[in-house]
């Protein structure tokens, strides 16, 4: 970890927070419970236990792995429906094939992101390619769900294939951090992901002992999730480590620091920074559907059962299965 990097971060554009920024306090730090998804791959539920008013417009996020599969062990998800939101799948290490009933899909690996706007609905499958199933190997990634406002929930589905090489790379004034802007904007630098709900998504690698203070839109919320390593967040230097999420309060900057000593299996602090403009609409969420009302949820289930969300296309190297809700 990670796949997209540079030898000398000081060759990159540098992000500096203005002197008059208001530091965001840390409201809470939570620890993600572990579980299994799809056909049985391990996940950490990053947002479990966090009040939705702090998450809006984000719904959930799973850290998939990090796991070293033996031959025959790699797993994915069977065909399943989605409606009313966007799924963002970011692969840090390993490889995943994607296919949906609208003709979208492809292979993502080593820093690639698949951004799928489910909108009015589709069927979807994610699975390791047969070569990885045969050989085994490292697998590590994230799946983030981003809500859509009511006016966009029934829009036509859309698919974005974001290659790791297209991610906007930035650093801090001292070169102590590598910032990968996957979506949104940071200090005037734009990431490649196009979002209906305004958000910023950054994967930061922070060297031991380094500190990152980033300007952050005041109308966005602020979240930090640790993929690996240990450090602290906020002016209070609240400790945080692998599998924990920090929720920031109001302000115009957020701060993350890496401890001088890291865990033996990771040289740096790896953290995902998220911010988004809250939608502030009622949310009805059940399984793979995210709508505004219970009636809309019931309609989504009925539409799925009657085949209105699409049909499973011809399978090319993927395993068919029943619907599930990853």
């Amino acid at each position: 970890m990670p796949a997209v990097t540079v030898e000398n971060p000081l060759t990159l554009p540098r992000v500096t927070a203005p002197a008059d920024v208001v530091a965001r306090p840390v409201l809470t730090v939570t620890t993600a419970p572990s579980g299994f998804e799809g056909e049985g791959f391990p996940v950490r539920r990053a947002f479990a236990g966090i009040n939705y008013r702090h998450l809006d417009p984000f719904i959930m996020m799973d850290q998939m792995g990090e796991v070293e599969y033996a031959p025959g062990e790699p797993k994915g998800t069977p065909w399943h429906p989605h409606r009313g939101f966007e799924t963002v799948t970011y692969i840090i290490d390993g490889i995943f094939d994607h296919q949906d009933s609208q003709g979208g899909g492809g292979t993502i690996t080593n820093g690639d992101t698949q951004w799928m706007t489910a909108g009015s609905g589709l069927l979807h499958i994610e699975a390791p390619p047969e070569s990885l199933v045969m050989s085994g190997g490292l697998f590590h990634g994230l799946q983030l769900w981003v809500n859509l406002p009511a006016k966009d929930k029934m829009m036509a589905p859309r698919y974005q294939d974001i290659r790791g090489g297209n991610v906007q790379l930035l650093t801090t004034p001292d070169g102590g951090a590598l910032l990968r802007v996957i979506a949104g904007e940071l200090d005037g630098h734009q990431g490649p992901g196009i979002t209906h709900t305004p958000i910023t998504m950054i994967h930061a690698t922070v060297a031991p002992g380094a500190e990152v203070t980033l300007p952050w839109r005041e109308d966005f919320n602020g979240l930090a999730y640790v993929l690996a390593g240990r450090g602290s967040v906020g002016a209070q230097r609240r400790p945080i480590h692998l599998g924990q999420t920090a929720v920031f309060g109001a302000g115009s900057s957020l701060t993350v620091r890496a401890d001088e000593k890291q865990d033996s299996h990771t040289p740096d602090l790896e953290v995902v920074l998220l911010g988004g403009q809250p939608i502030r609409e009622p949310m009805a969420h059940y399984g793979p559907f995210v709508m505004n009302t219970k009636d809309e949820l019931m309609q989504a289930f009925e539409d799925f059962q009657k085949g209105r969300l699409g049909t499973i296309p011809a399978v090319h190297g993927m395993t068919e299965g029943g619907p599930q809700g990853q």
Side-chain angles (χ1 to χ4, degrees):
M1 186 207 294
V4 180
T5 188
V6 294
E7 197 165 309
N8 181 8
L10 289 173
T11 61
L12 301 171
R14 304 180 196 189
V15 176
T16 304
D20 60 349
V21 294
V22 177
R24 288 177 174 248
V26 177
L27 302 181
T28 183
V29 173
T30 61
T31 300
S34 297
F36 293 91
E37 187 54 78
E39 296 168 336
F41 58 84
V43 297
R44 287 186 175 93
R45 309 288 191 190
F47 295 162
I50 300 175
N51 191 301
Y52 181 64
R53 66 188 174 91
H54 297 313
L55 297 177
D56 186 11
F58 307 109
I59 301 162
M60 57 148 275
M61 186 168 73
D62 283 348
Q63 180 180 9
M64 306 180 295
E66 182 176 3
V67 58
E68 183 76 40
Y69 282 122
E73 285 186 345
K75 299 174 177 67
T77 65
W79 283 98
H80 54 277
H82 287 309
R83 173 179 279 181
F85 64 102
E86 300 183 286
T87 67
V88 182
T89 306
Y90 174 50
I91 298 299
I92 301 166
D93 287 297
I95 186 168
F96 234 22
D97 284 340
H98 294 256
Q99 189 180 4
D100 66 49
S101 55
Q102 296 286 324
T107 298
I108 53 174
T109 182
N110 297 343
D112 297 339
T113 301
Q114 179 240 26
W115 201 295
M116 187 180 75
T117 304
S120 59
L122 42 62
L123 305 180
H124 183 228
I125 187 172
E126 303 156 302
E130 187 63 27
S131 58
L132 180 64
V133 175
M134 296 295 290
S135 67
L138 184 63
F139 180 75
H140 189 200
L142 284 176
Q143 185 168 100
L144 171 70
W145 289 13
V146 185
N147 202 3
L148 287 170
K151 65 181 180 61
D152 293 329
K153 282 196 177 293
M154 296 300 286
M155 67 175 292
R158 185 180 68 179
Y159 181 93
Q160 297 176 68
D161 185 25
I162 302 170
R163 293 293 150 186
N166 294 331
V167 168
Q168 174 69 64
L169 300 180
L170 306 169
T171 191
T172 47
D174 63 358
L178 176 61
L179 309 170
R180 303 166 193 82
V181 184
I182 297 168
E185 178 267 343
L186 179 64
D187 196 30
H189 301 278
Q190 192 72 37
I194 300 169
T195 67
H196 291 279
T197 303
I199 74 164
T200 295
M201 179 180 183
I202 298 166
H203 173 195
T205 298
V206 189
E211 178 177 293
V212 179
T213 298
L214 302 178
W216 211 250
R217 280 180 51 167
E218 292 188 52
D219 59 338
F220 276 20
N221 60 356
L223 303 162
Y225 176 75
V226 178
L227 292 164
R230 56 185 59 249
S232 60
V233 285
Q236 315 98 312
R237 300 202 173 195
R238 183 89 172 260
I240 192 169
H241 59 73
L242 167 65
Q244 291 191 315
T245 301
V247 177
F248 291 89
S252 54
S253 73
L254 52 82
T255 298
V256 177
R257 301 172 187 83
D259 286 355
E260 293 280 356
K261 292 185 177 180
Q262 292 297 322
D263 301 328
S264 59
H265 66 277
T266 181
D268 305 299
L269 172 67
E270 303 284 350
V271 60
V272 174
L273 304 172
L274 294 168
Q277 193 171 63
I279 296 173
R280 295 192 177 95
E281 293 176 351
M283 184 182 72
H285 172 206
Y286 189 82
F289 304 123
V290 183
M291 305 304 292
N292 293 103
T293 67
K294 184 178 178 181
D295 285 346
E296 290 172 346
L297 273 184
M298 294 174 65
Q299 184 65 54
F301 274 103
E302 179 182 331
D303 288 347
F304 168 56
Q305 290 165 351
K306 293 186 175 180
R308 296 171 185 152
L309 299 190
T311 56
I312 297 174
V315 176
H316 303 289
M318 291 188 175
T319 302
E320 287 194 34
Q324 281 198 8
Q326 165 69 7

